[in-house]
Amino acid sequence: MNLFLVNPKSDFTMDNSFRIDQENLQHLFTTLQKRGYETVGPTLADEAIVYDTIASVEDLPVGWTDEVGPGKYRVANGGGLSSFGYTLSPQSWKRFLYPPTRKLFSAKKNGKSFELTQENDGEKKHAFIGVRPCELSAILIQDRVFSSGEYHDDNYLALRRNAFIVAVNCSQAGDNCFCVSMKTGPAAKDGYDIALTEVVDGDNHYYVAASGTEKGREILTEIGAATASGNEIAEAENVVRRTTAEIGKSLDTRGLPKLLAENLEHARWDDVAKRCLTCGNCTMVCPTCFCSTVEDTTDLSGQTAGRSRRWDSCFTMDFAKVSGGNFRTSAKSRYRQWLTHKLSSWVEQFGISGCVGCGRCITWCPVGIDLTAEVKAIRGTKVKQEKGG
Amino acid sequence: MLETPVLDEIKSPNSMAPLPATIRRIIWETDDTYTLLIDAPRLDGKEFPFRPGQFNMVYAFGIGESAISISSDPSKSNLLAHTIHRVGTVTSALSKLKRGDMIGLRGPFGTAWPIEEAVGKDVCIAAGGIGLAPLRPVIYTLIRRRSEFGRIIILYGARSPLDLLYRVELEQWSKVPNTEVITTVDRGDSSWKGHIGVVTGLFSYVKLDTPSTIAMVCGPEVMMKYTFEELERRGVSQEHIFISMERNMKCGVGLCGHCQFGPKFICKDGPVFRLPQIRHLIEKKEI
């Protein structure tokens, strides 16, 4: 079984694709809005490219790009026609399907009993415009996290069912990207309704569009998409090929789950613990991290109570605390929990790696810890020889 | 390749909503430990069936939830018992409730002790402190079906004589045919004539017929570690040793991530584990 996502780049083709221009793209916005979708996409705000509710193509960050490094994020306007000429937003789409805070229920005392009202925002319909292939993989991974066990996250699944996904293949590799290693990009393979590749060829600006679902196909037809020419398809394929070649960072995934499971006492964990601030940024920006905690509240009369859920992080001091003690007090144990979960135990839990190679944890680490470097160090001086994997 | 799950086909049992339940009685077992007897709520219009070893998320209205093992007889599913150590906010709030007061329950969750696997075998139960509570449903079951099992050996340790749980029942269980109950305390008092010391010390008073013994162990992690090492030294196979683990839990159903122990979620893959499932992790610090 291949534990990592498969995304064939060698035989990547866009046969039977459509061509749309910026005007068609605007039609896409209005068509989706007419169908009841809240259109969410990239836009410039607070000196970052963020995913937010946007009304039209006017809101897209035309001409803007982002530059990242370990602990570094900057936006710059390089001019040009690109609407999707950046790599990634700091925050992923997770916040729309799995909101950072959410009311679970309110309860009202009723004599000697209580009545519970469960909150549900599953009616919302999001259209995500500009989902990167690695982010799409992250969504597919969270689908598993929230639906593979006996109990499911109904709210996530309701929002997910209603979501319409317009993926946009990457035309620029960020310095922290390693999607090629994780087999999640830079082109979307599965899970989208529509996938776009943006081509800017001098003054010629267009998108090659592929439909992944019947609904996607229907909408492409509705917005007046034309059949893409062989030349246009070739240009789009070149964009993906060029991006693939640009990706400089890598993570050697061979036998990785086993490697980490066998090296829980490796000296590198002490080393990284000296640098790690246990701030939890990596978990907040990670598109697959799913840990949460709950908070119970009550009004002054004690008659009405509530419970809300919010994202939690395995880096917080009380994450593994029980009344009799705390199972992870050291920074070492908390960093190790995060990394081994992401790259090792996740595979046993969900049949797939928890990392999609987006590199956000590197970008947003205040001290620039790079998980690919940590893995490399462990692999370089591993305790045991791995046997296959 | 990762496929999109067929999201429309997923039907989810509603696991996040506490069901109201009424307290019938509170029994103080020791100075800081009490048992709530609860009229079991109906679950989807049915009785509240549970298996020995499973737990509920017990909700103190407006305060919060704690994961607590069920300590009652599974054959009496209309009356649930939770034996609770008063240590935190939730367990303190629950301790102040009275007959007729209301709590909330979500559950039953988690894996169970291997009762059916123990049929025809000797059963060695080793408990430390409040660890006897999740094993009490096993003891009730073994006694009710006494003829189906070999010897029953109950080894139980507590901090002091007054910290021993279920003292009347321990006495009753010791009178069941072919059943041994041996207790020990860390510190005795003037009235204590029994054993002093850790639970593992009690193994020198019993002779285990090891090929046919199933061991079920629950207590503080260090106690469980010494106990399974002692059991192995005496020839009990790892495969026949079961332990029940504790971790922080918020959801109880494998979604919040808090209770992870390596690749295991204590709430859904446990709390009861066959030792080889987690032995390699127990021996490491801060997993």
Side-chain angles (χ1 to χ4, degrees):
Chain A
M1 177 184 178
N2 191 335
L3 301 174
F4 295 88
L5 291 155
V6 176
N7 192 2
K9 264 151 296 293
S10 51
D11 59 349
F12 180 77
T13 62
M14 298 183 185
D15 294 349
N16 308 316
S17 292
F18 297 89
R19 176 200 196 275
I20 64 174
D21 57 19
Q22 203 73 349
E23 205 175 309
N24 300 128
L25 191 64
Q26 179 53 47
H27 281 159
L28 179 64
F29 274 83
T30 45
T31 302
L32 288 167
Q33 286 156 357
K34 241 181 276 164
R35 291 187 177 214
Y37 289 100
E38 182 182 332
T39 44
V40 184
T43 192
L44 191 73
D46 304 328
E47 295 181 59
I49 289 155
V50 301
Y51 302 147
D52 205 346
T53 303
I54 56 173
S56 73
V57 291
E58 301 294 316
D59 296 324
L60 293 170
V62 176
W64 286 90
T65 189
D66 52 358
E67 293 162 14
V68 302
K72 182 196 157 192
Y73 176 90
R74 301 280 182 277
V75 285
N77 195 329
L81 297 169
S82 287
S83 297
F84 300 91
Y86 60 91
T87 307
L88 284 172
S89 159
Q91 291 268 11
S92 71
W93 308 90
K94 175 170 85 171
R95 60 188 299 107
F96 300 100
L97 297 174
Y98 180 57
T101 60
R102 187 171 106 70
K103 183 115 192 203
L104 293 178
F105 63 73
S106 57
K108 214 172 157 50
K109 268 193 186 167
N110 173 11
K112 283 290 183 187
S113 186
F114 60 81
E115 274 166 21
L116 210 73
T117 312
Q118 281 186 284
E119 310 274 332
N120 193 329
D121 49 22
E123 297 306 307
K124 278 191 204 160
K125 285 171 74 178
H126 293 111
F128 299 142
I129 299 166
V131 178
R132 294 305 188 189
C134 61
E135 298 180 314
L136 189 50
S137 294
I139 292 171
L140 300 185
I141 289 170
Q142 284 212 326
D143 288 351
R144 281 201 185 186
V145 168
F146 293 127
S147 72
S148 64
E150 186 183 352
Y151 298 98
H152 309 137
D153 184 332
D154 294 334
N155 197 70
Y156 173 91
L157 294 174
L159 288 167
R160 177 70 176 95
R161 259 180 227 123
N162 286 343
F164 186 90
I165 292 181
V166 181
V168 177
N169 292 332
C170 293
S171 52
Q172 170 191 308
D175 283 354
N176 291 335
C177 294
F178 55 103
C179 59
V180 171
S181 298
M182 305 317 289
K183 301 184 172 68
T184 61
K189 172 71 169 50
D190 186 27
Y192 54 80
D193 293 288
I194 294 173
L196 305 177
T197 309
E198 187 176 29
V199 179
V200 181
D201 180 14
D203 287 341
N204 198 7
H205 178 215
Y206 59 91
Y207 304 87
V208 170
S211 60
T213 59
E214 200 43 55
K215 202 191 281 176
R217 191 173 189 83
E218 191 184 302
I219 286 179
L220 278 175
T221 312
E222 200 173 325
I223 65 171
T227 304
S229 71
N231 190 39
E232 286 160 346
I233 289 171
E235 284 297 329
E237 286 174 353
N238 269 338
V239 167
V240 170
R241 237 174 258 125
R242 211 167 42 233
T243 311
T244 307
E246 269 175 27
I247 288 179
K249 199 178 277 299
S250 65
L251 177 68
D252 182 356
T253 61
R254 285 173 305 152
L256 186 52
K258 195 162 183 272
L259 174 80
L260 294 179
E262 284 178 352
N263 283 277
L264 296 172
E265 313 278 20
H266 197 284
R268 187 71 181 188
W269 302 118
D270 292 304
D271 184 277
V272 69
K274 285 184 197 144
R275 290 171 278 138
C276 176
L277 307 177
T278 65
C279 69
N281 266 15
C282 47
T283 56
M284 295 294 106
V285 296
C286 178
T288 66
C289 270
F290 61 87
C291 288
S292 65
T293 188
V294 289
E295 187 178 54
D296 282 85
T297 51
T298 177
D299 66 359
L300 286 175
S301 71
Q303 295 301 300
T304 310
R307 178 173 300 161
S308 51
R309 183 186 71 185
R310 62 175 167 80
W311 290 357
D312 202 359
S313 169
C314 53
F315 282 92
T316 60
M317 184 53 114
D318 62 358
F319 188 83
K321 195 171 169 227
V322 293
S323 51
N326 191 339
F327 289 104
R328 286 186 215 112
T329 54
S330 70
K332 168 190 170 179
S333 67
R334 282 178 273 150
Y335 185 86
R336 180 180 64 187
Q337 168 59 25
W338 178 69
L339 195 71
T340 56
H341 184 215
K342 194 73 28 191
L343 297 175
S344 175
S345 46
W346 203 296
V347 176
E348 186 169 327
Q349 291 168 349
F350 304 110
I352 190 150
S353 169
C355 177
V356 296
C358 72
R360 282 188 176 90
C361 55
I362 310 170
T363 305
W364 294 96
C365 176
V367 294
I369 294 171
D370 177 343
L371 81 168
T372 66
E374 300 310 314
V375 168
K376 205 171 177 184
I378 290 170
R379 194 184 285 283
T381 49
K382 59 195 170 190
V383 176
K384 283 185 197 169
Q385 284 297 318
E386 28 146 346
K387 300 172 200 92
Chain B
M1 192 183 99
L2 183 62
E3 284 161 21
T4 313
V6 185
L7 295 171
D8 291 329
E9 286 179 7
I10 291 166
K11 288 191 184 68
S12 178
N14 188 354
S15 57
M16 299 312 276
L19 294 167
T22 310
I23 293 179
R24 197 186 286 184
R25 224 179 122 194
I26 293 198
I27 304 161
W28 281 90
E29 307 281 357
T30 73
D31 275 354
D32 60 7
T33 302
Y34 56 97
T35 297
L36 294 181
L37 293 179
I38 302 155
D39 286 318
R42 307 280 289 178
L43 201 59
D44 301 326
K46 293 186 216 93
E47 286 196 355
F48 194 91
F50 71 93
R51 294 179 296 148
Q54 289 192 297
F55 67 93
N56 281 323
M57 298 301 291
V58 183
Y59 173 50
F61 188 85
I63 308 286
E65 281 182 327
S66 258
I68 313 273
S69 298
I70 305 171
S71 57
S72 47
D73 186 339
S75 72
K76 294 171 183 156
S77 59
N78 60 333
L79 188 66
L80 293 171
H82 284 289
T83 300
I84 303 171
H85 189 195
R86 187 187 59 196
V87 275
T89 322
V90 173
T91 52
S92 293
L94 292 171
S95 76
K96 292 179 187 127
L97 299 177
K98 293 179 202 68
R99 178 191 172 86
D101 283 344
M102 161 270 302
I103 58 165
L105 292 178
R106 291 192 294 125
F109 299 133
T111 56
W113 298 105
I115 302 281
E116 297 316 313
E117 194 175 329
V119 168
K121 297 195 172 73
D122 291 355
V123 183
C124 176
I125 285 170
I130 196 149
L132 186 58
L135 284 161
R136 190 166 70 161
V138 176
I139 299 171
Y140 288 141
T141 306
L142 297 178
I143 291 174
R144 198 177 59 253
R145 296 165 52 184
R146 185 66 198 90
S147 61
E148 295 176 47
F149 305 93
R151 289 161 72 206
I152 301 173
I153 300 151
I154 299 168
L155 310 177
Y156 177 42
R159 283 170 299 182
S160 75
L162 291 175
D163 287 312
L164 288 166
L165 296 178
Y166 315 139
R167 273 167 278 177
V168 174
E169 287 182 299
L170 286 168
E171 191 63 34
Q172 291 166 354
W173 295 337
S174 69
K175 290 174 186 142
V176 173
N178 205 10
T179 302
E180 295 153 73
V181 178
I182 313 179
T183 55
T184 183
V185 295
D186 297 337
R187 298 178 307 277
D189 58 22
S190 54
S191 66
W192 181 252
K193 296 187 178 63
H195 299 284
I196 304 268
V198 294
V199 174
T200 41
L202 299 179
F203 281 101
S204 47
Y205 302 99
V206 290
K207 189 162 168 20
L208 299 178
D209 177 14
T210 51
S212 82
T213 298
I214 288 241
M216 305 184 199
V217 185
C218 187
E221 226 161 283
V222 61
M223 169 267 172
M224 293 199 288
K225 184 168 178 286
Y226 284 114
T227 303
F228 68 67
E229 284 171 359
E230 184 66 29
L231 284 161
E232 287 176 302
R233 250 196 303 281
R234 289 172 185 272
V236 179
S237 142
Q238 272 199 60
E239 296 289 328
H240 292 156
I241 301 173
F242 294 81
I243 66 176
S244 180
M245 298 287 293
E246 184 201 11
R247 280 297 180 273
N248 186 0
M249 289 180 198
K250 296 294 180 195
C251 74
V253 295
L255 297 172
C256 79
H258 276 263
C259 70
Q260 287 178 84
F261 185 53
K264 304 296 182 199
F265 290 92
I266 299 296
C267 67
K268 65 170 186 180
D269 302 320
V272 177
F273 291 94
R274 196 184 291 270
L275 184 55
Q277 288 183 280
I278 51 168
R279 177 170 188 150
H280 56 295
L281 296 167
I282 282 195
E283 291 173 347
K284 302 218 160 53
K285 279 189 189 130
E286 296 200 297
I287 291 300

